[in-house]
Amino acid sequence: MRILITGKNGQVGSCLVELLDAETDLTFLALDREQLDITDANEVSKVVAEFKPDIIINAAAYTAVDRAEKECELAYAINRDGPYNLALAANDVNALIIHLSTDYVFSGNSSESYVESDKTGPQSEYGRSKLAGEQAVVLACSRHIILRTAWVFGEHGNNFVKTMLRLAKTRDTLDVVADQFGGPTYAGDIAKAILAISNQVMKGNQAYGVYHYSGFPHVSWYDFAKTIFSTALQQGFLKNTIQVRPITTLDYLTPAKRPANSRLDCHKINIAFVIEQSDWQSALKQIDEYS
């Protein structure tokens, strides 16, 4: 199995590289934005034609949610045009493309967990650019897996867990939004899910399409923060208790609108690939790795 990875330095890309380094029955090429500009169609085509991957994993993305409101051209170039170029190149060599997407493709207004067939309705430029990327991949390559996830955290890159632990070093009290709900998702679990899908497709599983993969149980950002701090205190990473105060979305306004409901239903991926949801509480047990 030959795998091409884009976005190798991101949260999921870094975990993929660590995971694949331990595999002996595959060859992979992992590239960052300096090594491969996915918005350059000719460059993408050349790299894919030369490497001839069986699977392309697109972990590259523009993720600056608030900046995307002003940098929408850049967001669309990376989140729509880049995936389209990769999918076209995948189609040319008959490869599978696994493309990472987000809960932001939904409005967040539903009272239920979102299933893959639910109507999309992004409320931000970031979300619209990611939805356009999904549509581009579907258009360009029939052999596609689109993996929507949410609230990603891990040892690499910037994320909510790292932010909370950093702030806890200088503050005794923190205000955290309590009316937005989702499933925190460990980046390492996403990498494992992608590898599991890759192995099954290579063995003949052709369950292509859109899937949801995120963590459980679902919580608010406020509850997530409290769990982070209690875990850190139990493990001796923090010496003092942090008081977490619940606030509303209206108390913490941002340029881009956040979904109130980021809960993703993950039954489809469990049925098609026998993949369980991310156990984010277990992933927090090594909390010193997020500092």
Side-chain angles (χ1 to χ4, degrees):
M1 179 163 54
R2 296 174 66 82
I3 300 178
L4 173 65
I5 301 169
T6 64
K8 75 171 186 178
N9 294 327
Q11 291 197 82
V12 176
S14 296
C15 290
L16 276 167
V17 170
E18 292 175 356
L19 190 62
L20 296 184
D21 266 336
E23 298 290 322
T24 57
D25 58 347
L26 57 80
T27 301
F28 74 94
L29 175 64
L31 304 172
D32 59 25
R33 67 180 69 180
E34 282 73 33
Q35 295 167 311
L36 177 61
D37 178 4
I38 63 172
T39 69
D40 186 328
N42 291 330
E43 188 179 347
V44 169
S45 180
K46 179 182 177 182
V47 169
V48 171
E50 289 178 353
F51 184 66
K52 295 182 175 59
D54 298 301
I55 297 170
I56 295 175
I57 301 170
N58 181 33
Y62 178 104
T63 57
V65 175
D66 288 325
R67 288 211 312 268
E69 294 298 307
K70 292 184 176 180
E71 297 179 349
C72 51
E73 285 189 16
L74 180 59
Y76 274 87
I78 298 171
N79 291 344
R80 176 194 62 198
D81 302 342
Y84 182 69
N85 295 336
L86 289 165
L88 275 180
N91 191 65
D92 287 342
V93 297
N94 196 34
L96 167 74
I97 182 167
I98 300 177
H99 172 65
L100 284 176
S101 192
T102 174
D103 61 285
Y104 276 72
V105 300
F106 295 112
S107 69
N109 296 328
S110 174
S111 59
E112 305 292 332
S113 295
Y114 283 99
V115 297
E116 289 80 354
S117 58
D118 280 338
K119 182 180 179 181
T120 54
Q123 300 294 297
S124 65
E125 290 296 338
Y126 167 71
R128 285 186 278 273
S129 72
K130 290 296 289 183
L131 178 59
E134 289 188 9
Q135 295 166 339
V137 168
V138 171
L139 181 66
C141 185
S142 60
R143 299 187 72 213
H144 63 262
I145 299 286
I146 293 169
L147 200 62
R148 294 174 180 153
T149 189
W151 292 24
V152 181
F153 72 94
E155 300 89 345
H156 310 283
N158 298 314
N159 55 67
F160 184 77
V161 175
K162 286 189 173 186
T163 298
M164 291 298 102
L165 293 176
R166 185 182 71 250
L167 292 174
K169 293 179 180 179
T170 58
R171 302 187 191 180
D172 297 322
T173 303
L174 284 171
D175 296 339
V176 182
V177 172
D179 58 356
Q180 297 172 15
F181 297 86
T185 315
Y186 175 50
D189 289 339
I190 300 173
K192 290 177 183 177
I194 289 172
L195 182 58
I197 292 169
S198 300
N199 284 325
Q200 291 187 46
V201 168
M202 292 301 293
K203 292 177 181 177
N205 187 340
Q206 298 183 23
Y208 308 132
V210 180
Y211 292 90
H212 290 170
Y213 181 77
S214 66
F216 193 82
H218 297 143
V219 289
S220 67
W221 289 114
Y222 165 75
D223 292 322
F224 189 22
K226 288 205 300 181
T227 303
I228 292 166
F229 294 137
S230 64
T231 302
L233 196 62
Q234 290 168 9
Q235 295 182 11
F237 184 79
L238 290 181
K239 303 303 180 185
N240 301 311
T241 300
I242 306 299
Q243 182 185 359
V244 185
R245 298 182 301 201
I247 60 172
T248 69
T249 299
L250 292 177
D251 294 324
Y252 187 71
L253 295 176
T254 56
K257 184 178 179 181
R258 266 61 176 175
N261 177 18
S262 293
R263 293 174 296 179
L264 299 177
D265 185 296
C266 299
H267 284 94
K268 183 181 176 183
I269 198 170
N270 178 255
I271 293 169
F273 295 104
V274 199
I275 293 173
E276 301 290 340
Q277 288 184 257
S278 175
D279 183 353
W280 62 268
Q281 291 171 316
S282 290
L284 281 180
K285 290 179 180 178
Q286 303 299 324
I287 203 156
D288 59 313
E289 296 182 5
Y290 304 104
S291 62

